[in-house]
Amino acid sequence: MAFADLGIDVGSVSTNIVLIDKNNELLDKIYIRTKGQPIQALQQGLVEIYQRNRDVEIRSVGTTGSARYLAGVIAGSDAVKNEITAHAVAALEEVPGTQTVIEIGGQDSKIIILRDNTVADFAMNTVCAAGTGSFLDQQAARLNLPIEEFGALALKAKNPVRIAGRCSVFAESDMIHKQQMGHNLADIVAGLCEALVRNYLSNVGKGKEILAPVVFQGGVAANKGMREALSKALNTDIVVPKYFDVMGAIGAALLARDAVKQRGTRTNFRGFSFCSTEFNVKSFECTSCANRCEVVELKTLAAVLARWGDRCGKWSEMPVDGLCKQAQKQTQQTG
Amino acid sequence: MPLKVGIPRALFFYYYYPLWKRFFENLGAQIVVSPPTNKSIIDAGIKCAVDEACLPVKVYYGHVTALKNKVDLMFLPRLVSLERKTYICPKFMGLPDMIRSNVKDLPTVIDTTFDLSKNSSSIYRPAREVGHFLESRDRIIDQAWDDAEEFQKEFEDRLYKGHLPCDVLDSLEKGKELPVTCNMKRMCVAVVGHAYNLYDTHISMDLIRHLKNMGVKVITPDIIPTAVSDAYANRLPKRMFWTMGKRLLGSVLHYIDEGKVDGILYVEAFGCGPDSMIEDLSARYVRRDRKIPFQVLTLDEHSGTAGVMTRLEAFVDMISWRGVS
């Protein structure tokens, strides 16, 4: 039986799961759309991973992404880490000596500046998510263009048009104007890529010293048009790692392995049998004070697993049902 | 029955509450402070504030709304300038007018102008104007003011000993003991931002508590004596003419010079005019020698804490990765 570390990245747009072996070789990976249902996406992904890797024993589990706490509770995570750390760890592993990581995901974009193999600085988009993957998705859909073909079409452009990239609402109206003027689709699509890169560099990358090697990862790195536009704007080669779309998950797996090693205990993983458990999420407004927090309660048929969302800790610190721990033990034994 | 004077728990409350409380009480008034910011206060504020205002100003509207039916007098001073040739944000200067035109059924408003920008201006003039709402004798008002200033000084002295304003104000209001300041060797992060953002746990998403829970020692510009931050701000090539900006930038320069903090977290409200300059200047000075990790956190009406938590965690991770635990 082979041992492996499981990395889970549940983001706003995609849910990615990886299995890596002790030499950090990727054994398997899954990239599926979250579709607004993180629990179902996670379960579906884990079932697929299990079916393809029945002989693997999970040694540790790490979760990252905006649903990292939710995923952590459901899977029984050993390390719940933010996306910056996870992406930085993975980039350093895949491309030794990396000095800059550019990550553009579904709803956020980040830049990580690495020096001497440690994070020296980072930034994420602030209150605005303009120019991230979901905007590209949306525009591709509006142009009736499968997102997979978007990048290839951009590369065919001869004269990319200038599009306002400051705000996705302005960008969209600008694109429509250019269309109505008669510019061809390839030029508009390439123009959009350039606009997004311009916006990224002046917003997220503002004031950062971007040195090579520059690693481009995250779902948007699949887009050849975006790679080209970045390379042109930075006047340097862009390295896209082999598993660019699941780098967060790889980082989570690496971090989880370290966490388990450091702790010196067994993994908290609930086992794959938990994939068939029905999880229910209920949310309610707490009426104890004027804050009216929206509390989320995660439960199985048998027990409440966790609560969160309150400011004061009344719900999140309340002990969850004893049944839950029992159920957890059982699944650990059987799973 | 003493007259009830309402003080909104927002903006300058976090700087001058002890002064105002003591002054009004010396004149025989009863102080009513609005409750800590909550969802309904924010909602009420957003509903009646002008769209372009920053979040803390919107929150101020909410606090005025929460108080208006409970008091006889509403203290909404117009703070123009608190020191020579140095000014407060323009939105503060227009605050009483903005409130008047957007909040209906206000009680009597004390909207005295505090403008000490000129050499000759004296604090007693506006203080008497405020005092006249409660007391006719100037001598009594002057005494009440002097005593209140003493009290304010005691408050500031406690800050300079290392206590955060949130803790000192809390002990003042509830008569609680001050928590012991911690001198243990652990990660120390300077959280730089306006007091009305940092210590309003709703606006700041309780980030100071979150940082403390991660094992971080938090310090803020409020515990640096003004003389120190002023001296650093004076090193700038051009005179900084915003009181708050001078304080924040001077503190950042002090942290850089001293080299004792492990990271600087700059907290700004989205759309803050002065901070758009101060934050950028701070970032440039910090990055000049790259020794201290620096991160900007922008706050707005978001109620989901995920974004803030991700940035805080990543920031703390980055510092520990560099070898500080």
Side-chain angles (χ1 to χ4, degrees):
Chain A
M1 184 175 271
F3 291 101
D5 302 292
L6 185 65
I8 301 170
D9 178 355
V10 187
S12 57
V13 174
S14 72
T15 294
N16 319 322
I17 304 174
V18 299
L19 271 184
I20 55 171
D21 70 6
K22 62 176 193 294
N23 302 318
N24 299 343
E25 287 298 323
L26 190 113
L27 299 175
D28 200 358
K29 68 158 186 151
I30 272 178
Y31 179 97
I32 50 175
R33 297 244 160 186
T34 309
K35 290 187 182 139
Q37 300 193 303
I39 299 176
Q40 281 81 342
L42 174 60
Q43 286 184 315
Q44 185 200 333
L46 280 176
V47 166
E48 277 180 49
I49 285 275
Y50 177 62
Q51 282 166 351
R52 300 205 298 236
N53 305 277
R54 282 173 192 271
D55 56 337
V56 166
E57 189 181 326
I58 303 299
R59 209 169 43 161
S60 73
V61 183
T63 54
T64 186
S66 43
R68 60 186 179 279
Y69 290 105
L70 178 71
V73 172
I74 289 179
S77 176
D78 299 302
V80 179
K81 272 287 169 188
N82 62 81
E83 302 92 293
I84 296 280
T85 310
H87 276 282
V89 166
L92 283 170
E93 173 61 36
E94 300 293 313
V95 187
T98 301
Q99 298 216 78
T100 309
V101 179
I102 290 174
E103 200 270 348
I104 305 184
Q107 281 290 347
D108 61 31
S109 47
K110 17 184 147 15
I111 189 164
I112 310 171
I113 303 296
L114 295 154
R115 296 290 182 267
D116 307 321
N117 295 327
T118 54
V119 179
D121 198 1
F122 70 89
M124 292 175 80
N125 51 335
T126 52
V127 285
C128 168
T132 51
S134 44
F135 177 59
L136 282 170
D137 256 3
Q138 189 195 331
Q139 291 312 312
R142 197 179 61 81
L143 298 169
N144 240 335
L145 196 66
I147 187 74
E148 293 77 14
E149 291 167 22
F150 193 101
L153 182 63
L155 292 188
K156 288 185 192 144
K158 293 204 174 68
N159 300 299
V161 294
R162 174 98 185 174
I163 287 172
R166 188 88 191 83
C167 159
S168 58
V169 178
F170 296 165
E172 178 165 338
S173 42
D174 213 13
M175 276 170 72
I176 295 172
H177 289 157
K178 293 280 151 91
Q179 259 172 272
Q180 309 300 65
M181 301 260 295
H183 290 282
N184 73 53
L185 199 54
D187 285 345
I188 293 175
V189 166
L192 179 64
C193 290
E194 287 185 358
L196 295 193
V197 165
R198 219 167 34 238
N199 183 42
Y200 172 88
L201 291 176
S202 60
N203 184 2
V204 181
K206 186 180 86 174
K208 302 278 185 285
E209 192 189 19
I210 300 175
L211 298 180
V214 178
V215 174
F216 183 23
Q217 56 198 41
V220 174
N223 190 318
K224 288 182 191 128
M226 288 295 285
R227 293 184 195 179
E228 178 63 25
L230 254 181
S231 170
K232 215 163 110 184
L234 291 174
N235 198 17
T236 177
D237 283 338
I238 302 291
V239 186
V240 177
K242 195 168 167 197
Y243 305 114
F244 64 89
D245 54 345
V246 294
M247 292 297 271
I250 292 177
L254 292 168
L255 287 160
R257 183 198 293 159
D258 283 350
V260 168
K261 208 183 281 170
Q262 226 170 43
R263 221 171 44 205
T265 56
R266 282 195 59 196
T267 173
N268 295 329
F269 186 45
R270 288 183 199 275
F272 285 108
S273 64
F274 238 75
C275 296
S276 51
T277 308
E278 201 180 312
F279 290 98
N280 286 307
V281 185
K282 195 181 88 177
S283 67
F284 58 91
E285 201 179 68
C286 172
T287 51
S288 298
C289 79
N291 276 330
R292 306 279 153 143
C293 295
E294 290 153 14
V295 181
V296 178
E297 188 176 79
L298 174 72
K299 44 194 227 177
T300 62
L301 283 177
V304 175
L305 293 185
R307 299 187 185 90
W308 61 85
D310 51 338
R311 279 170 178 269
C312 67
K314 174 180 167 186
W315 297 99
S316 52
E317 282 158 26
M318 183 187 287
V320 286
D321 294 335
L323 276 169
C324 155
K325 287 214 175 88
Q326 240 175 359
Q328 193 179 334
K329 247 184 220 160
Q330 275 169 9
T331 43
Q332 258 173 13
Q333 279 156 9
T334 53
Chain B
M1 270 287 277
L3 280 176
K4 286 183 186 157
V5 177
I7 298 182
R9 189 188 296 269
L11 300 179
F12 269 75
F13 167 88
Y14 294 96
Y15 297 91
Y16 291 116
Y17 175 63
L19 177 77
W20 298 339
K21 173 187 156 74
R22 185 56 75 90
F23 180 59
F24 285 119
E25 283 176 355
N26 282 345
L27 297 176
Q30 187 193 337
I31 298 287
V32 183
V33 182
S34 49
T37 308
N38 57 45
K39 210 179 192 171
S40 50
I41 287 182
I42 289 206
D43 286 349
I46 290 168
K47 216 168 122 191
C48 56
V50 284
D51 180 48
E52 295 102 272
C54 58
L55 183 61
V57 165
K58 288 179 182 171
V59 165
Y60 191 81
Y61 277 76
H63 282 277
V64 173
T65 313
L67 274 177
K68 67 176 185 185
N69 295 326
K70 297 179 183 149
V71 297
D72 307 305
L73 292 162
M74 183 79 80
F75 185 52
L76 306 178
R78 185 192 309 276
L79 301 177
V80 175
S81 165
L82 301 176
E83 51 190 328
R84 208 173 94 79
K85 284 188 170 174
T86 309
Y87 298 88
I88 307 291
C89 164
K91 280 185 183 128
F92 286 73
M93 301 184 195
L95 211 49
D97 307 316
M98 291 204 290
I99 297 284
R100 267 218 190 84
S101 67
N102 288 299
V103 183
K104 291 195 181 78
D105 307 321
L106 283 172
T108 308
V109 172
I110 307 179
D111 64 347
T112 304
T113 300
F114 283 77
D115 181 0
L116 306 179
S117 59
K118 303 259 164 18
N119 250 347
S120 54
S121 39
S122 148
I123 187 75
Y124 289 110
R125 211 176 44 82
R128 281 180 190 175
E129 194 182 319
V130 175
H132 286 158
F133 281 87
L134 298 154
E135 167 67 56
S136 55
R137 291 162 297 178
D138 286 346
R139 187 178 50 84
I140 305 280
I141 297 173
D142 291 354
Q143 273 172 6
W145 184 265
D146 287 341
D147 177 62
E149 270 195 341
E150 275 297 307
F151 191 59
Q152 174 73 17
K153 207 179 148 287
E154 275 172 42
F155 164 71
E156 284 166 11
D157 284 343
R158 271 193 244 173
L159 302 184
Y160 303 154
K161 282 188 185 127
H163 295 286
L164 294 184
C166 45
D167 296 330
V168 183
L169 288 172
D170 215 35
S171 79
L172 194 70
E173 271 192 279
K174 299 178 189 150
K176 276 200 288 192
E177 289 265 320
L178 269 176
V180 196
T181 49
C182 172
N183 290 318
M184 263 174 7
K185 178 86 190 115
R186 55 175 175 175
M187 189 192 293
C188 175
V189 169
V191 180
V192 178
H194 298 284
Y196 49 77
N197 289 330
L198 300 186
Y199 311 116
D200 183 322
T201 54
H202 211 97
I203 291 182
S204 72
M205 302 206 169
D206 220 357
L207 69 94
I208 293 182
R209 190 173 58 92
H210 287 310
L211 280 172
K212 283 181 177 167
N213 287 347
M214 292 177 201
V216 174
K217 179 183 174 177
V218 176
I219 58 168
T220 67
D222 304 294
I223 63 176
I224 297 175
T226 334
V228 176
S229 58
D230 276 354
Y232 278 96
N234 285 340
R235 294 186 188 180
L236 292 167
K238 188 167 180 276
R239 206 178 62 85
M240 178 55 63
F241 47 83
W242 289 311
T243 299
M244 326 285 288
K246 190 169 61 145
R247 186 104 176 93
L248 300 188
L249 192 52
S251 304
V252 169
L253 294 175
H254 167 70
Y255 296 135
I256 297 173
D257 192 37
E258 232 189 12
K260 279 185 188 160
V261 297
D262 301 308
I264 298 176
L265 195 62
Y266 197 103
V267 178
E268 62 173 358
F270 180 65
C272 176
D275 268 9
S276 65
M277 283 275 301
I278 304 298
E279 173 258 298
D280 199 63
L281 276 171
S282 302
R284 281 162 198 248
Y285 279 108
V286 172
R287 294 209 165 104
R288 234 172 233 187
D289 57 6
R290 300 201 151 274
K291 280 189 195 115
I292 306 174
F294 182 83
Q295 188 56 210
V296 178
L297 208 57
T298 310
L299 303 168
D300 202 26
E301 288 164 34
H302 303 62
S303 64
T305 53
V308 167
M309 289 308 289
T310 298
R311 286 157 179 85
L312 287 183
E313 285 174 17
F315 188 62
V316 170
D317 270 0
M318 172 167 79
I319 297 171
S320 355
W321 206 345
R322 287 180 167 211
V324 186
S325 58

